[in-house]
Every structure is written in C-alpha cells, then in structure tokens.
Amino acid sequence: MTDTLTIPRPDDWHLHLRDGAVMEGVLPYTARQFGRAIVMPNLVPPVTTSAAAAAYRDRIVAALPEGSAFTPLMTAYLTDATDPADIRAGFEAGVFTAAKLYPAGATTNSASGVTDLANVRKVLETMAEIGMVFCVHGEVTHAEIDIFDREAVFIERTLAPLVRDLPELKVVFEHITTEEAADFVAESGPNVAATITPQHLHINRNAMLVGGIRPHAYCLPVAKREHHRLSLRRLATSGNARVFLGTDSAPHAREAKESACGCAGIFNAPYALESYVTVFDEEDALDAFEGFASRNGPAFYGLPVSEETVTLVREEQQVPDTLELAGTHYVPFHAGETLGWKLAD
Ligand code: DOR
Ligand code: ZN
C-alpha cells in the first residue's frame, strides 16, 4: 500500500480568491498547497480589463505570506462589450493567462456576463489566434431549463457548436458535473480540456437534500445524480491528459450560506489536495494522481511543471467545523470529517 506520495507542486486551475480582507484570509490556504492558480474574475465590480487584472494581481501578490512563491494567473471576465484589443494586449503583456465565460445570470456575480456567444466572437477569434485559453462556466441560464439539465443543454446548444466552428480555440470546460460533459471531453480533440472539483468527485445531490437542506454542499453547477459522480471519478482517474485539477474553491461567510437565499460555493481550499487524493486512493488510482494534479494542467496551458514537490502522507486529520477568516466564520468542505491523508509541511 502506498503511504507517501511525492509529486511536483500542483496548481489550481480554477479558484475564487475574492478581494480585500477575505482574500488575505483565504490566500494562505491556497499558497500552502499550490504553486499557481487561475484566479476567477467575478469580483464586484468584475475584472473586465487588463488594467483591473494587473491591479488585482498586485493586491494578491502583496497579500502573500512571507517567502511564498505562489503565482496568481489572471483571467479576464468577458462581457458583451469586451475589447479584443485589450484581451490581446493583456495576454501579450503577461497579465492575462485566460479569459472566462460567465453566461449572464449563471452564478455568483455573473450579471455582467455574456448574453450570447456571438457578442464575443471577435474576442474568441483573437484568443484562438494567440493561443489564449477560454475558461467556460458551462450552463445555460434560460428559465425554462431545469437547473439539473443546464450543463447538458449547454453542451448541445453552445459548446459543441463553438468547438465545431472554432476548433483552434483552447477551451477548458470548467467544474464539469455530468456524464454528458465527461463523455464530451473524452471524445473531444486536443484543444478541449476539463477541470473537476473535489466536491463533484465526493458528493451527489443527495448530500444537499437528504435529511434537510445542507447549504454547505451547494455550489454551481449543482451536484447531480450518483451516476454522474461516478463518471466524473472514472474520467478524473483515467489518466486522460486533458483532465485536471480545479477546485472552484468559493468562500462565502457562514451566514451567507445558511440563509433563505444561500450563496453558491464550497470553500475547499484548506484541504483540497487531501480531498482529491482520497478519491484517487478509493479508486485505486494513486498512480494517476500526479498527472491530474501536477502535469496535465501545465501541459494544456503551455506552462512548465513545478520544480518544487509536495508530499502527501496517509495520516488521519480532523477537519474543523469552521475556520475564522477576517473575523467571520467559514465552513470548509469536509467540515467535521476525518480525512485519511495529510499534506506534509
Ligand atoms: O458555486 C459557485 N460559486 N459557482 C460559481 O460558478 C461561482 C462561485 C462563487 O463565486 O461563489
Ligand atoms: Zn468558479
């Protein structure tokens, strides 16, 4: 039995760091585990320009713990009015690593998102030309589409046609939650990749709804039926080089989650690697963990694999019920559970 796993320091290819005091509180958890992270731009107001992204990057770097080598990789929040010239300039200047599609109304702070992909066609053509990654929140938002079907319908109506029309564009289908998405990615060509969160590998929709409404298991896209979870576990552990780690860690204060209209998002950053490695261990696929966590993401983004390493050891640790950040309580993923793995210091 493998009890110790040493791998190149992983990156988080999808992360919400927020801003201000909350960012200062959550950043050390990510910087302890990961070398780089793709930082989501859904602040209020959203990070829509290269100037705003450069300023946000500076605030993150200034808040890093002493001696941390963590590198934030910035994203542009696309709107119907995004200027392709600013995307190109930001990418060429090394400010932007990727651009993010929030279909308008899909999730937290997505009101200024894109209402129709046709409105960002020039931006996407520019990105295809310069090799910039397009990160996609893949859900339709039409009121008549059931929330559990929104990802599958997005593939049919939006993603499959896009990939057909613009095959040179590098697309990351983020935080996939369905068998349809897993199949779509598995059957796609070299320019389509996916990230998978820890929660979508661990929980199905029962975790949210059985025995009472459990707001800390609620995120978007929402967890689906068990067969979807099982297909995500198969894909994550399959060794497919176009599938990699992206936590979608999305902290919201406890009272904002435990509310009549609770916020979507699971704060999984503090124990992210332990959470993922548990899945690979349960699937008897520890040999596939290094690719998923450390190698596939850099390869897709054209970035070097970390020269540092981290070590995970088979050792029990108790996850606290809450963590206090910026004077407020946050409930981490796996709160109150015992995890069987631990990141060595
Ligand atoms: O659950 C989610 N939370 N999904 C998202 O897409 C956004 C995120 C957030 O920013 O809270
Ligand atoms: Zn997200």
Side-chain angles (χ1 to χ4, degrees), residues 95-333:
V95 173
F96 287 139
T97 297
K100 168 83 184 205
L101 173 71
Y102 284 109
T107 186
T108 310
N109 301 330
S110 63
S112 326
V114 174
T115 58
D116 185 334
L117 266 196
N119 297 331
V120 288
R121 178 71 194 189
K122 285 264 161 1
V123 176
L124 299 182
E125 286 171 2
T126 300
M127 290 170 61
E129 182 197 325
I130 63 182
M132 182 172 171
V133 170
F134 184 41
C135 294
V136 174
H137 182 111
E139 289 190 288
V140 295
T141 55
H142 315 288
E144 78 278 11
I145 305 293
D146 188 281
I147 194 160
F148 291 100
D149 297 334
R150 289 180 173 195
E151 186 174 275
V153 173
F154 182 87
I155 297 170
E156 227 174 84
R157 292 192 187 170
T158 308
L159 192 54
L162 173 70
V163 167
R164 258 197 314 272
D165 286 2
L166 209 51
E168 320 82 55
L169 182 65
K170 293 175 94 167
V171 177
V172 176
F173 191 0
E174 303 190 282
H175 44 52
I176 60 169
T177 62
T178 57
E179 184 162 18
E180 288 87 340
D183 288 348
F184 178 80
V185 171
E187 288 158 15
S188 292
N191 286 339
V192 176
T195 57
I196 307 181
T197 73
Q199 59 266 22
H200 293 113
L201 295 170
H202 277 281
I203 64 172
N204 62 33
R205 63 192 196 177
N206 282 9
M208 214 171 32
L209 295 169
V210 171
I213 287 192
R214 299 176 192 277
H216 299 291
Y218 173 60
C219 67
L220 288 170
V222 71
K224 309 294 193 298
R225 288 176 182 273
E226 177 66 357
H227 78 87
H228 294 293
R229 184 182 78 100
L230 296 178
S231 66
L232 298 174
R233 284 171 82 106
R234 277 194 300 276
L235 180 66
T237 57
S238 69
N240 186 320
R242 290 178 293 102
V243 179
F244 42 88
L245 186 160
T247 64
D248 198 13
S249 181
H252 291 278
R254 180 176 192 158
E255 60 273 16
K257 299 277 301 167
E258 297 175 8
S259 148
C261 185
C263 293
I266 294 181
F267 179 40
N268 59 34
Y271 302 92
L273 286 176
E274 292 95 327
S275 180
Y276 278 116
V277 79
T278 300
V279 171
F280 281 70
D281 191 15
E282 287 166 356
E283 296 292 328
D284 200 13
L286 284 175
D287 55 339
F289 189 61
E290 179 170 328
F292 177 82
S294 310
R295 296 192 179 274
N296 299 348
F300 191 78
Y301 274 85
L303 293 169
V305 171
S306 177
E307 285 171 11
E308 292 177 34
T309 58
V310 297
T311 297
L312 288 150
V313 291
R314 191 185 296 281
E315 186 182 316
E316 289 199 342
Q317 65 173 326
Q318 178 78 22
V319 177
D321 291 335
T322 66
L323 294 166
E324 198 180 325
L325 301 170
T328 310
H329 288 278
Y330 288 77
V331 176
F333 187 43

